[in-house]
Amino acid sequence: MCGIVGYTGKNNAREILLKGLGRLEYRGYDSAGVALAGESGIYIQKKKGRLKELDAKEIPSTNIGIGHTRWATHGKPSNENSHPFSDCTGDIAIVHNGIIDNFIHLKEDLINKGHEFTSETDSEIISHLLEEHFNGDLVDTLKIVVKMLKGSFAICALQKDSKNIAVARNQSPLVIGLGVGENFVASDVPAILDYTNEVKYLEDGDVALLTPNEVRIWDSQDALVERDVVEIQWTIEDAEKGGYEHYMLKEIHEQPKAIHASLLGRLGGFTEVDLGKYDTEFIRLISCGTSYHAALVGKYLIEDIARIPCTAELASEYRYSSPSELHPFTILISQSGETADTIAAAKEAKRRGCKTLAVTNVMNSSITREVDEVIFTHAGPEIGVAATKTFTTQVIMMYLIAIELGLKTKRLLRETAQEYRDELRRIPRHVRVLLDRSEDIERVSEKLIGADDIFFVGRHLNYPVALEGALKLKEIAYIHSAGYPAGELKHGPFALLTNRTPVVAISVKDHTFEKMLGNIGEIASRDSPIIAVGDHDPELEKLSDDLITVPSVPTLFSPILVNVVLQLLAYYTAYKLECAIDKPRNLAKSVTVE
Ligand code: M6R
């Protein structure tokens, strides 16, 4: 997730930019850079890696500058591909968020005119276009240049020996912060909230000029316009949560967007990985915690859709297991890419001669260096310790992998694959419907308060979802809970059932539904309160105390929807119990020790 900060005024721009970029760090990035304009030129410092490695003190500070944190899209993370970019003369520098769709054509044209490029990015064309069309006035030139661009952009540009910053916005956010004798610009409010809470949001098509004492904005018709001054009421911490009380809730609500991002460009197959080249007689999925539950869903999907035998194993167990004659294609799943056990398992799988693929959310994370290939989930940064949107997008990846493998083995018909992909495309909409019904789920969460133990039961694809529901509740609400395959309760856990042990029963109308109704009947006769989550059914309604229905989808796709209900159930329970939802006791976002 790229971030932008700009400053012009009387203070130390370098410090302001670094602090602002630091405020955006939680969004994730793979490189950072700043450009400061001085009398004798523009000083640029940029580097792949963390902000603290930037060594920005190596360049002189001035009172005007722009800064950027980059999340790679065009071109891998590298020093060269980091922003800011300058033109050939070094007199102009820019930072850019978004994607310029027509950059190839523009770049060719600029090269033919003699411009020299230093990166693989789409963004660099902007500085060269500014140079090429420069008419003596930076903001005027930017107005000309943005007309040539197709795509999304938030652009900030500066020029040597000037106190002006020229900015433009189209489908990528940009906000101007108003100060006294100084002004700010940023992609996101947290970057400037340390200095001002008075802002103007730019609209699509706007171009603006910032000087220390003035902000002027032109709309897409080149008319000088006023944009309302908005007073930000949030604190820094609130702002980073986008107005939600907790990161976890924000991240639950971000799931439609996250699913969309993870599907983007992949519904016709992966462009980054050719699964067809691997021997996939047998597949092993390895991971920890919530990622292990995604792996378990993946096991069912790969077996159901691609008809390939598959196991899901815990990384901490796999790494000490005995090697066998088999060398299965091994998929490591880790949202952070930093989990010590999973990284060790990746190394062990390689040592055993297996081909390895990582599914992770974090570019440049350690696991990406240990495996043969990587697929990124593109869920966006997840701050809450409880994994939510990263789990959902891992599961999305499992569908895509299973479909791809099914086509490869020819056990899945092309038409069926297309139906599955169409169904995946509709998932964000279904999740939105569920999120709109959060209040109903909040009401049901009352039933979990004061429970001694809680069981989550499900069958087949929804058995891992039961495990995940139980983990989420334990993790953030500190209530002991256990996930079970519904058919297993009678083999022991029945002894614990009382009217103080609620059971959350996942009941969708798949081939196990009749059996599930039988299991629920058995539980009901032990007086346990039953919260059913699944499809509407009169019999189910009769047996359960509460029924939370999910939008009607082919049951193969029910895990994602059911899981959203369980996430909200855990969230609201923890909320009512006043638990530290985002930072549960004793837990860390990534477990980098064994
Ligand atoms: O980063 P990873 O996906 O490898 O993390 C694995 C587990 O530590 C993680 O899923 C943990 O269980 C979550 N906090 C659960 O919400």
Side-chain angles (χ1 to χ4, degrees), residues 287-293 333-340 342 359-360 367 382 384-388 390 394 468 471-472 475-476 584 587-591:
S287 40
C288 301
T290 287
S291 298
Y292 171 66
H293 302 149
I333 307 175
S334 170
Q335 67 80 21
S336 63
E338 301 295 346
T339 301
T342 314
V359 174
T360 183
I367 203 159
E382 189 176 72
V385 164
T388 52
T390 54
Q394 286 168 347
E468 175 58 10
L471 177 64
K472 220 78 311 172
E475 194 178 14
I476 62 165
L587 299 177
K589 185 66 186 159
S590 43
V591 185

Side-chain angles (χ1 to χ4, degrees), residues 1 28-32 47-51 53 69-73 75-82 334-339 343 358-371 373-378 590 592:
M1 300 281 140
Y29 63 101
D30 48 57
S31 53
K47 203 170 182 180
K48 175 182 163 188
R50 315 303 296 169
L51 196 54
E53 292 155 23
T69 45
R70 174 174 188 255
W71 179 287
T73 54
K76 60 182 184 308
S78 68
N79 293 349
E80 296 73 30
N81 289 338
S82 314
S334 170
Q335 67 80 21
S336 63
E338 301 295 346
T339 301
I343 291 169
V359 174
T360 183
N361 194 41
V362 181
M363 300 215 182
N364 258 333
S365 56
S366 304
I367 203 159
T368 62
R369 288 187 283 275
E370 301 297 341
V371 290
E373 307 251 23
V374 186
I375 290 175
F376 293 103
T377 47
H378 296 313
S590 43
T592 52

Side-chain angles (χ1 to χ4, degrees), residues 327-550:
H327 300 102
F329 180 47
T330 301
I331 304 178
L332 292 303
I333 307 175
S334 170
Q335 67 80 21
S336 63
E338 301 295 346
T339 301
D341 281 321
T342 314
I343 291 169
K347 288 184 183 156
E348 180 59 19
K350 265 198 134 176
R351 202 186 61 77
R352 293 182 190 182
C354 306
K355 289 288 175 204
T356 52
L357 166 76
V359 174
T360 183
N361 194 41
V362 181
M363 300 215 182
N364 258 333
S365 56
S366 304
I367 203 159
T368 62
R369 288 187 283 275
E370 301 297 341
V371 290
D372 297 309
E373 307 251 23
V374 186
I375 290 175
F376 293 103
T377 47
H378 296 313
E382 189 176 72
I383 314 291
V385 164
T388 52
K389 61 177 179 170
T390 54
F391 170 81
T392 298
T393 51
Q394 286 168 347
V395 173
I396 290 285
M397 289 307 118
M398 294 298 109
Y399 283 100
L400 293 178
I401 289 172
I403 293 170
E404 194 97 338
L405 293 174
L407 289 170
K408 180 196 168 223
T409 56
K410 302 205 171 23
R411 291 175 193 135
L412 178 68
L413 295 174
R414 296 227 151 255
E415 304 81 77
T416 316
Q418 193 48 49
E419 283 166 24
Y420 289 168
R421 286 167 170 164
D422 290 344
E423 213 48 64
L424 285 172
R425 199 176 284 122
R426 289 192 274 268
I427 296 279
R429 205 182 324 142
H430 297 313
V431 173
R432 242 174 252 125
V433 168
L434 271 178
L435 294 172
D436 286 346
R437 286 170 30 204
S438 294
E439 277 180 18
D440 300 341
I441 302 167
E442 180 175 4
R443 216 171 305 119
V444 175
S445 70
E446 289 287 348
K447 306 275 176 82
L448 302 184
I449 311 284
D452 295 336
D453 292 290
I454 299 172
F455 286 99
F456 287 73
V457 295
R459 278 176 172 263
H460 197 66
L461 271 168
N462 281 306
Y463 155 54
V465 178
L467 293 177
E468 175 58 10
L471 177 64
K472 220 78 311 172
L473 195 74
K474 278 192 268 238
E475 194 178 14
I476 62 165
Y478 311 149
I479 302 177
H480 178 258
S481 44
Y484 268 92
E488 275 294 301
L489 281 195
K490 58 171 118 25
H491 298 289
F494 257 25
L496 289 174
L497 295 186
T498 69
N499 61 3
R500 289 175 56 83
T501 44
V503 178
V504 178
I506 306 169
S507 332
V508 298
K509 287 188 170 170
D510 62 7
H511 59 294
T512 67
F513 187 64
E514 292 302 319
K515 294 283 167 211
M516 192 69 202
L517 284 182
N519 297 141
I520 294 175
E522 291 161 2
I523 297 164
S525 61
R526 268 82 187 171
D527 286 341
S528 292
I530 292 167
I531 299 168
V533 181
D535 288 324
H536 181 76
D537 179 81
E539 185 64 13
L540 181 61
E541 207 162 353
K542 232 187 283 161
L543 285 170
S544 45
D545 296 81
D546 294 276
L547 169 60
I548 304 170
T549 57
V550 296

